[in-house]
Amino acid sequence: MLANNHPVCLSQNEKDKRLRSSILISWDEFTYVIDCGPDFRQQMLREQVQSIDGVLFTHEHSDHTAGIDDLRPYCFQMGEVPVYLDQLTLQSLKQRFQYIFETKNRYPGAPKIQINLVDTIAFSLQNERVLPIKAMHGSLPITCFRFENFAYLTDVKTIDSSEKEKLKNLDVLIVNALRIEEHPTHFNLEEALRFVNEINPKKTYFTHISHKFGLHDVIQKNLPKNVFIAFDGLKIEV
């Protein structure tokens, strides 16, 4: 966090240097990103991502969408970049990034976006079935995603039992755990652990972590078996 002298912010451990949450998913020759926040450019440079096939958005908040302008280099490669999002997120992006969605008098260098609306129905990305999972981020509906036996959930505070049913038999669950103290719109550690016990995946990784969660190595020592703290640049094979 800017202008903050918390020990996590001052830590020299690379696992404590946390950019905004996002994930890149690859299979066969395909590559998709879930969320592109303000650190999207830095993340793509760090991982040397030469091409992507599209972006899935969980919700409208800036820490998950503000990097949309940095899709430009990928647009130069492929033309329109497919994005997958719900109607609420699309409305917000059209207001905040009007120049991207203009149909007349477009700025020539603006990113080109191919809109694909997502609701609760499974859809296909290339040869992969993707199942949307609906949850609540406080009072804001959000979309999380399941690929086969892997699921990515972020910014969750509550989730209906019918949506939890979609999370059975997971090999890997990634879910938010913002901090130790309770928060009005995010799982804290206690809530995240309770959720993990209920879903019972083989492995869980906590993401969307604030500095108030604490130092990576300290937290990891106190977590249950098969529950891990995610860190920037982590690679998981499923």
Side-chain angles (χ1 to χ4, degrees):
M1 178 173 281
L2 292 172
N4 193 302
N5 292 319
H6 190 281
V8 172
C9 298
L10 300 177
S11 171
Q12 296 305 302
N13 185 344
E14 288 298 318
K15 292 180 179 179
D16 290 321
K17 299 184 185 303
R18 301 164 185 158
L19 300 179
R20 263 59 73 97
S21 300
S22 177
I23 187 168
L24 183 146
I25 301 174
S26 295
W27 69 94
D28 299 333
E29 69 272 28
F30 308 116
T31 299
Y32 287 83
V33 174
I34 301 180
D35 289 335
C36 58
D39 303 317
F40 176 71
R41 177 179 179 274
Q42 183 177 350
Q43 291 162 331
M44 295 300 100
L45 288 171
R46 183 192 68 208
E47 300 301 321
Q48 300 180 15
V49 179
Q50 297 299 308
S51 64
I52 63 172
D53 294 287
V55 179
L56 294 78
F57 286 107
T58 58
H59 63 295
E60 66 192 61
H61 287 164
S62 288
D63 57 329
H64 297 263
T65 61
I68 190 171
D69 189 80
D70 284 314
L71 291 176
R72 291 183 193 218
Y74 300 119
C75 295
F76 298 156
Q77 287 181 359
M78 64 188 296
E80 293 183 338
V81 172
V83 300
Y84 302 82
L85 70 180
D86 64 18
Q87 184 65 52
L88 197 63
T89 305
L90 177 60
Q91 273 183 292
S92 174
L93 292 180
K94 282 185 172 180
Q95 290 173 353
R96 293 160 51 216
F97 300 96
Q98 183 180 356
Y99 69 98
I100 293 178
F101 297 90
E102 285 283 357
T103 56
K104 297 180 179 179
N105 302 318
R106 278 181 54 85
Y107 175 67
K112 296 178 180 179
I113 301 297
Q114 179 198 98
I115 297 167
N116 298 273
L117 288 176
V118 170
D119 47 27
T120 59
I121 308 300
F123 61 96
S124 292
L125 292 181
Q126 311 298 344
N127 56 354
E128 188 72 30
R129 180 178 182 267
V130 183
L131 181 62
I133 312 291
K134 288 296 183 180
M136 297 299 295
H137 179 27
S139 60
L140 179 69
I142 60 172
T143 307
C144 309
F145 300 97
R146 176 172 181 161
F147 295 71
E148 295 186 2
N149 293 327
F150 161 82
Y152 182 81
L153 285 73
T154 187
D155 291 56
V156 176
K157 180 64 177 180
T158 58
I159 180 169
D160 288 344
S161 57
S162 59
E163 297 301 293
K164 290 178 185 177
E165 286 294 310
K166 299 177 182 179
L167 295 168
K168 286 185 175 180
N169 303 314
L170 288 175
D171 288 338
V172 174
L173 168 68
I174 298 182
V175 66
N176 57 288
L178 186 71
R179 63 190 193 189
I180 307 298
E181 298 84 6
E182 197 168 341
H183 188 275
T185 63
H186 291 266
F187 280 159
N188 69 348
L189 176 58
E190 181 182 353
E191 291 166 328
L193 287 172
R194 193 183 310 136
F195 181 71
V196 170
N197 287 336
E198 189 174 357
I199 300 303
N200 195 30
K202 291 180 182 177
K203 284 186 178 182
T204 298
Y205 294 86
F206 287 152
T207 190
H208 209 293
I209 299 162
S210 82
H211 63 285
K212 292 183 179 179
F213 201 125
L215 295 164
H216 179 280
D217 292 350
V218 174
I219 302 163
Q220 187 61 64
K221 289 177 184 177
N222 296 308
L223 290 179
K225 182 182 178 182
N226 294 331
V227 177
F228 306 93
I229 301 296
F231 54 89
D232 288 22
L234 173 67
K235 293 177 174 61
I236 302 168
E237 288 192 15
V238 183

